[in-house]
Amino acid sequence: MCGIMGYLGPKDAAPILVDGLRRLEYRGYDSAGIAVHDGTHLVVAKAEGKLDRLVGQLGSNPLAGSFGIGHTRWATHGPPSDRNAHPHADPAGDIAVVHNGIIENFTALKEDLVSRGASFTSETDTEVIAHLVAEEYDGDLLEAVRRAVRRAEGAYALVAMSQHEPGRIVAVRMISPLIVGVGDGEMFLASDIPAILHHTRSFAVIDNGEMVDLSPEGWHIETLDGERVDREVFEVDWDAEQAEKGGFAHFMLKEIFEQAAAATETLGGRVDEKGRVDLDGVDWPEGFVESLDRIWITACGTAYHAGLIAKEVFERLLRIPTETAYAHEMRYRDPIIAGTTMTIAVSQSGETADTLAAAGLAQERGSRLLALTNVVGSTLSREADDVLYTRAGPEISVASTKAYLTMLIGAYLLALAMGERRGAFDPVAHDEIVEALNHLPVKVEDALDRDGDVAAVAARFEGHDDVYFIGRGLDNAVAMEGSLKMKEISYIHSEAMPAGELKHGTLALVTEGTPVVVVLTQQDVYDKTVSAIQEVKARGGFVVAVAFDDDEEVGKHADEVLRIPRVPDLLSPVVAIVPMQLLAYHVAAARGHDIDQPRNLAKSVTVE
Ligand code: F6R
């Protein structure tokens, strides 16, 4: 959690740091701050609240200096406040640090420092690091940080500078992500690539347990033990425009509308003209897929919902028992895992702490690990044995949309690739799925074209504080994602459940006008779901159905129908989620919410 930045070069550091922090705000946005070296001293500006408060402060009190560090915070230790905002300094103001993640032994470290006379101005664990670095400092920042980090346990990344070494910035990665951007005569540090994509396209990833030393002479990476590391610089070909709103009111809306293109990217080059699937980055050993007798899928939030769809798809197509587990549950269970198990960790960011831990546990127990992730070079992608990138492009909005849709397509591709190896398909069924998959981008585009219809239905949610989402099988899994989208950005209480479960309790909450969204795409259980609609209607509920264009029945039962283009039932989640994302968006927009940065949330949950 939190976003961190560093800049060293010929330009004024403050605007570059602020610009990077704006692009990192999705990682946290309850306070922000920067520190620059003005040639004599370290000078710090920080403010509770959104970045604009800091910008206002810098407008009246500009900080001059050509190297500095910055931070945008998502509180873990100590509530959001000016004094808990980063950067933090030691009492003498000699060392400034920004940090994300958690110092797990900070209480013991703080008690020790206090017992030796130290005083603290904040409640953060970060301030302890500033003290430790200052205590260890004897003229060499790199060595001081190295010794300090040896005393601090936890998962974090930190960036430090010293008043006594103008032009030097030292950073460490202890699990939390950190990259170096290499520009023309200038260098950057950031939590992720989009933060500095406007300045450079050349990057190096800092690995776990590594330090990076930036100075006017250049940069180098070394391990905590002081061994030099030769790290390749790679070029990123993302379009910087992709990281901007591109004319949409919110990143979320832009990302929803990018889904047809994203689907094309996910599929691109992975299915040949004969319908054979070739997944770059997936290199299963001979006989591995054939021997599989169990698949575990682990993930959190929206990625977990994608995992629920993947389970249904794998079980139906491959007949391999599959369990989808919340990563934060799985890591503390005693999962039954053997060499004939494959584990798939699903994560947009590839940095979710719980998902990394569950994936690591599966690997320890002998499972091969496949990462289904969006972020190239993420921790998950580097720890996994195989990686299938979703290729959704940068997702800025906290509420995940295109990442989810592309995860689903990734799951279908995996099912096809495994099915080919196991001889699981009859050729006709295989070809039908391949053909339908290839048509998905067009179908998604078609679903997006109906945004106006969704906006009209959204207006009917005004004044309601509770909404329910129901469906059966795949429709239930997609209803869960629709419900999560609704609650996280509209703040309307929303629950999802299998349609057959409603009558076992929740129906008590359905009264005159209660909105119930019913996903109705699975023909084998269609009539059963219609019965649930009747139960809702009999209590006066307001039913919004999500149904295929060719469904002539649904209009007799539902108050409103959000139509989606026809695809095979098995692939319906990819299309059915589109109107539900738009519904959540329009309901939230009508309420005037901060859609891209919903309260209390952050894009990447890198703490347990
Ligand atoms: C909801 C949302 C979250 C994430 C979850 C996992 O819109 O975005 O529920 O899906 O925090 O994040 P990743 O996929 O990065 O592991």
Side-chain angles (χ1 to χ4, degrees):
M1 214 49 68
C2 308
I4 54 182
M5 275 288 295
Y7 174 74
L8 174 56
K11 299 177 190 142
D12 217 9
I16 292 173
L17 294 170
V18 167
D19 178 63
L21 294 181
R22 194 165 301 286
R23 294 167 210 280
L24 287 171
E25 264 191 303
Y26 72 88
R27 300 179 68 88
Y29 38 81
D30 61 40
S31 53
I34 62 170
V36 300
H37 200 295
D38 68 3
T40 323
H41 296 107
L42 291 178
V43 277
V44 175
K46 51 189 184 175
E48 184 196 344
K50 293 275 177 75
L51 191 59
D52 284 337
R53 282 208 56 221
L54 176 69
V55 172
Q57 200 173 308
L58 289 169
S60 39
N61 287 306
L63 300 190
S66 65
F67 79 101
I69 60 181
H71 188 269
T72 179
R73 182 169 188 250
W74 185 80
T76 56
H77 293 65
S81 65
D82 285 353
R83 67 196 179 90
N84 284 335
H86 297 214
H88 289 282
D90 67 306
D94 286 344
I95 302 289
V97 296
V98 292
H99 145 257
N100 68 10
I102 289 177
I103 310 296
E104 282 164 7
N105 60 339
F106 104 101
T107 311
L109 290 169
K110 190 167 178 175
E111 279 168 8
D112 173 49
L113 286 159
V114 168
S115 74
R116 289 186 286 114
S119 61
F120 286 79
T121 57
S122 79
E123 296 143 273
T124 65
D125 47 351
T126 312
E127 194 180 354
V128 168
I129 295 286
H131 280 255
L132 294 185
V133 176
E135 200 169 71
E136 299 287 355
Y137 189 77
D138 60 5
D140 184 340
L141 183 63
L142 184 71
E143 294 312 319
V145 171
R146 193 193 314 278
R147 289 192 289 268
V149 163
R150 288 210 175 104
R151 295 164 65 186
E153 292 158 18
Y156 56 88
L158 73 90
V159 187
M161 55 188 207
S162 160
Q163 170 154 279
H164 305 296
E165 291 178 79
R168 194 173 198 193
I169 301 179
V170 169
V172 184
R173 175 178 184 179
M174 302 296 284
I175 299 183
S176 298
L178 189 65
I179 52 112
V180 183
V182 185
D184 190 9
E186 55 188 355
M187 287 157 273
F188 307 82
L189 289 165
S191 301
D192 74 14
I193 290 172
I196 48 180
L197 202 54
H198 275 55
H199 301 285
T200 181
R201 294 183 166 271
S202 306
F203 297 93
V205 174
I206 314 298
D207 267 334
N208 222 352
E210 288 179 350
M211 313 181 69
V212 57
D213 188 0
L214 310 187
S215 70
E217 287 73 52
W219 61 279
H220 78 271
I221 298 177
E222 54 185 71
T223 64
L224 275 186
D225 297 330
E227 260 177 59
R228 285 259 182 166
V229 176
D230 217 6
R231 181 62 37 75
E232 204 185 320
V233 173
F234 62 95
E235 298 289 315
V236 164
D237 60 5
W238 290 351
D239 179 352
E241 278 301 299
Q242 274 182 286
E244 297 293 341
K245 279 190 208 154
F248 286 92
H250 298 97
F251 278 111
M252 181 183 179
L253 193 59
K254 171 175 176 269
E255 288 159 8
I256 291 173
F257 274 89
E258 282 172 347
Q259 292 182 113
T264 308
E265 288 293 321
T266 313
L267 290 165
R270 286 170 166 166
V271 187
D272 72 16
E273 64 286 354
K274 293 214 172 78
R276 278 184 309 241
V277 178
D278 182 11
L279 303 179
D280 46 315
V282 178
D283 191 16
W284 290 311
E286 196 72 30
F288 169 71
V289 173
E290 293 80 341
S291 72
L292 283 180
D293 58 14
R294 194 182 181 101
I295 298 175
W296 277 88
I297 299 174
T298 191
C300 302
T302 287
Y304 170 80
H305 295 154
L308 291 176
I309 305 274
K311 168 192 158 68
E312 289 271 334
V313 172
F314 293 167
E315 290 194 336
R316 282 196 209 177
L317 293 181
L318 307 171
R319 308 304 296 162
I320 303 177
T322 303
E323 181 164 354
T324 300
Y326 282 119
H328 37 84
E329 288 290 308
M330 182 172 165
R331 66 184 290 192
Y332 296 114
R333 279 169 66 179
D334 186 8
I336 301 168
I337 290 173
T340 49
T341 304
M342 174 162 69
T343 302
I344 302 177
V346 189
S347 173
Q348 187 285 131
S349 61
E351 303 293 349
T352 300
D354 286 316
T355 307
L356 291 174
L361 173 71
Q363 272 181 314
E364 266 166 38
R365 296 195 170 193
S367 171
R368 195 171 172 90
L369 175 68
L370 185 142
L372 179 56
T373 185
N374 188 34
V375 177
V376 177
S378 58
T379 306
L380 182 64
S381 73
R382 284 177 302 121
E383 286 179 359
D385 304 291
D386 303 292
V387 186
L388 183 61
Y389 286 114
T390 53
R391 302 179 184 159
E395 192 178 64
I396 307 295
S397 166
V398 167
S400 184
T401 53
K402 62 177 180 170
Y404 170 79
L405 188 136
T406 54
M407 283 167 185
L408 300 186
I409 296 179
Y412 294 110
L413 288 171
L414 284 170
L416 282 176
M418 285 191 271
E420 282 171 11
R421 280 187 176 63
R422 291 169 70 93
F425 296 121
D426 81 62
V428 178
H430 176 269
D431 291 353
E432 271 172 19
I433 297 171
V434 167
E435 201 196 330
L437 256 185
N438 283 330
H439 280 98
L440 276 179
V442 177
K443 302 286 184 176
V444 170
E445 192 70 61
D446 188 353
L448 287 166
D449 284 345
R450 304 160 192 221
D451 181 39
D453 301 343
V454 183
V457 172
R460 298 197 57 185
F461 282 62
E462 202 188 318
H464 290 284
D465 290 324
D466 303 282
V467 49
Y468 301 92
F469 285 75
I470 60 171
R472 281 171 198 264
L474 284 170
D475 284 342
N476 175 43
V478 83
M480 289 171 76
E481 175 58 9
S483 169
L484 177 61
K485 287 290 92 76
M486 181 64 84
K487 76 178 85 166
E488 69 183 327
I489 59 168
S490 74
Y491 311 151
I492 293 179
H493 163 248
S494 170
E495 279 182 52
M497 73 207 69
E501 186 61 18
L502 195 65
K503 59 185 176 294
H504 293 287
T506 311
L507 196 56
L509 299 175
V510 175
T511 56
E512 198 59 38
T514 305
V516 179
V517 178
V518 185
V519 191
L520 198 61
T521 70
Q522 301 298 300
Q523 298 315 302
D524 54 345
V525 286
Y526 188 93
D527 293 343
K528 307 287 169 200
T529 308
V530 167
S531 304
I533 296 182
Q534 301 300 353
E535 290 158 14
V536 172
K537 291 298 303 167
R539 273 85 192 168
F542 164 58
V543 172
V544 177
V546 177
F548 288 128
D549 280 334
D550 60 5
D551 181 340
E552 290 168 5
E553 180 69 20
V554 62
K556 297 179 199 154
H557 309 286
D559 297 290
E560 297 280 359
V561 184
L562 297 174
R563 294 284 180 179
I564 52 171
R566 176 38 99 175
V567 295
D569 289 12
L570 186 72
L571 299 179
S572 71
V574 178
V575 186
I577 192 58
V578 173
M580 285 191 280
Q581 294 166 337
L582 290 168
L583 184 66
Y585 174 83
H586 288 299
V587 171
R591 293 183 162 220
H593 290 169
D594 186 347
I595 289 178
D596 287 330
Q597 295 179 342
R599 69 184 178 208
N600 306 340
L601 302 180
K603 182 70 180 160
S604 189
V605 185
T606 56
V607 292
E608 196 183 329

